[in-house]
């Protein structure tokens, strides 16, 4: 499977979602990417939210009530599970819908006429179904679900970014007008205040909710946590530093602030 669900406490409503941490690309998918190996390695440095799976795992270990952790085992260059799979996706404008055809620097990643359907069928839809099942499980067990989306972003904007001219704080919180209640946002601001300035929806906004709940089920709360990479690693995709532990502790404070 291209995803893993690490169980948390049965009475926890929280799912830490880590969609972009992996660099793994199956050989059959690699054959459709036109970059040579050195260029692909550079692209993975830029596009991967390096060490965010470790960040979520470290946070889960120290939470008073262990959250559930849903992790993408494959690179977002296989499919990006957080994109809309259709024309609703604004990143299609730069060749980065659910199946990318362009790179972070607007180079060619796949042929423009690549049929996305085989990748969507094999990887995107099973992932979406499993994440929806995880949310349904929290709703059945606790009456609600809270998705905390764990990401990172570079200190300097990359050419593909559609909204890269705004603030780039150490921590950016992405919100949704329907799924991010004020209490969740306030808890996140407080939890991360020791990590530096906490911004809102810049350079990246919004958050992830499985489509079957999106915009319709208010029992599903969601927040995206975007961490500026220079606060915890050597950019663009180098080893993690001591900042990772501080961020894991902050993420744990957020989880612990959400009633179980």
């Amino acid at each position: 499977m291209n995803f893993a669900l690490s169980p948390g406490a049965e009475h926890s409503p929280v799912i830490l979602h880590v969609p972009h941490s992996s660099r793994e690309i199956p050989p059959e998918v690699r054959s459709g990417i036109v970059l040579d190996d050195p260029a692909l390695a550079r692209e993975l440095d830029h596009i991967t939210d390096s060490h965010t799976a470790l960040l979520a795992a470290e946070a889960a270990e120290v939470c008073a009530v262990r959250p559930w952790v849903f992790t993408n085992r494959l690179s977002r260059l296989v499919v990006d599970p957080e994109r809309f799979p259709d024309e609703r996706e604004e990143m299609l404008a730069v060749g980065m819908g659910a199946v990318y055809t362009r790179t972070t620097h607007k180079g060619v990643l796949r042929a423009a006429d690549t049929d996305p359907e085989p990748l969507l069928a094999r990887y995107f839809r099973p992932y979406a179904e499993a994440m929806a099942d995880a949310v349904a499980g929290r709703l059945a067990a606790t009456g609600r679900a809270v998705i905390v989306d764990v990401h990172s972003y570079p200190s300097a904007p990359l050419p593909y970014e559609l909204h890269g001219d705004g603030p780039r704080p150490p921590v950016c919180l992405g919100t949704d007008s329907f799924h991010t209640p004020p209490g969740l946002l306030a808890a996140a601001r407080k939890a991360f205040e020791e990590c530096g300035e906490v911004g809102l929806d810049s350079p990246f906004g919004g958050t992830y909710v499985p489509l079957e709940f999106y915009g319709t089920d208010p029992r599903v709360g969601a927040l995206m946590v975007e961490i500026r990479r220079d606060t915890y690693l050597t950019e663009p995709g180098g080893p993690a530093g001591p900042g990772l532990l501080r961020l894991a502790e902050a993420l744990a404070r957020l989880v612990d602030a959400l009633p179980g």
Side-chain angles (χ1 to χ4, degrees):
M1 291 187 294
N2 59 311
F3 50 84
L5 178 62
S6 176
E10 189 58 30
H11 60 288
S12 173
V14 181
I15 301 172
L16 299 180
H17 181 221
V18 188
H20 295 157
S21 185
S22 177
R23 297 172 67 99
E24 184 69 24
I25 300 174
E28 64 273 18
V29 180
R30 171 69 180 94
S31 64
I33 293 175
V34 303
L35 302 178
D36 62 23
D37 288 347
L40 177 57
R42 289 192 297 272
E43 179 63 14
L44 286 168
D45 284 343
H46 290 295
I47 199 65
T48 304
D49 293 351
S50 297
H51 314 300
T52 49
L54 176 60
L55 172 61
E58 292 285 343
E61 283 293 324
V62 298
C63 286
V65 177
R66 187 181 184 91
W68 297 63
V69 183
F70 193 104
T71 307
N72 187 2
R73 288 175 163 170
L74 299 181
S75 169
R76 64 196 291 190
L77 297 184
V78 179
V79 295
D80 191 331
E82 295 212 312
R83 303 290 199 238
F84 286 112
D86 51 36
E87 67 282 351
R88 287 174 292 178
E89 180 51 59
E90 70 169 358
M91 296 302 291
L92 283 170
V94 289
M96 288 186 165
V99 175
Y100 296 0
T101 58
R102 309 293 287 190
T103 71
T104 52
H105 289 72
K106 298 188 175 182
V108 177
L109 182 76
R110 291 183 175 92
D113 61 353
T114 297
D115 179 7
E117 181 53 36
L119 291 173
L120 294 176
R122 182 166 184 179
Y123 299 109
F124 184 94
R125 294 193 188 99
Y127 187 106
E129 290 169 7
M131 185 62 183
D133 287 346
V135 171
R138 297 302 84 222
L139 290 174
T142 73
R144 67 194 192 99
V146 182
I147 302 167
V148 179
D149 223 17
V150 184
H151 291 261
S152 71
Y153 73 95
S155 57
L158 291 168
Y160 83 95
E161 294 182 26
L162 295 179
H163 311 289
D165 54 351
R168 303 180 83 84
V171 178
C172 162
L173 302 177
T175 66
D176 179 87
S177 59
F178 186 89
H179 290 284
T180 309
L184 175 55
L185 183 57
R189 286 187 183 276
K190 184 170 181 57
F192 285 97
E193 64 184 2
E194 295 179 15
C195 300
E197 180 188 356
V198 179
L200 192 65
D201 290 316
S202 176
F204 297 98
T207 189
Y208 174 75
V209 175
L211 289 176
E212 69 179 76
F213 302 102
Y214 182 67
T216 60
D217 195 332
R219 298 175 300 164
V220 180
L223 180 79
M224 179 169 65
V225 177
E226 286 270 8
I227 298 160
R228 205 177 65 207
R229 290 176 189 159
D230 64 337
T231 66
Y232 77 96
L233 62 73
T234 302
E235 293 188 273
L244 185 129
L245 180 58
R246 181 179 65 168
L247 289 159
E249 291 171 346
L251 182 58
R253 284 196 297 272
L254 170 58
V255 174
D256 287 344
L258 304 175

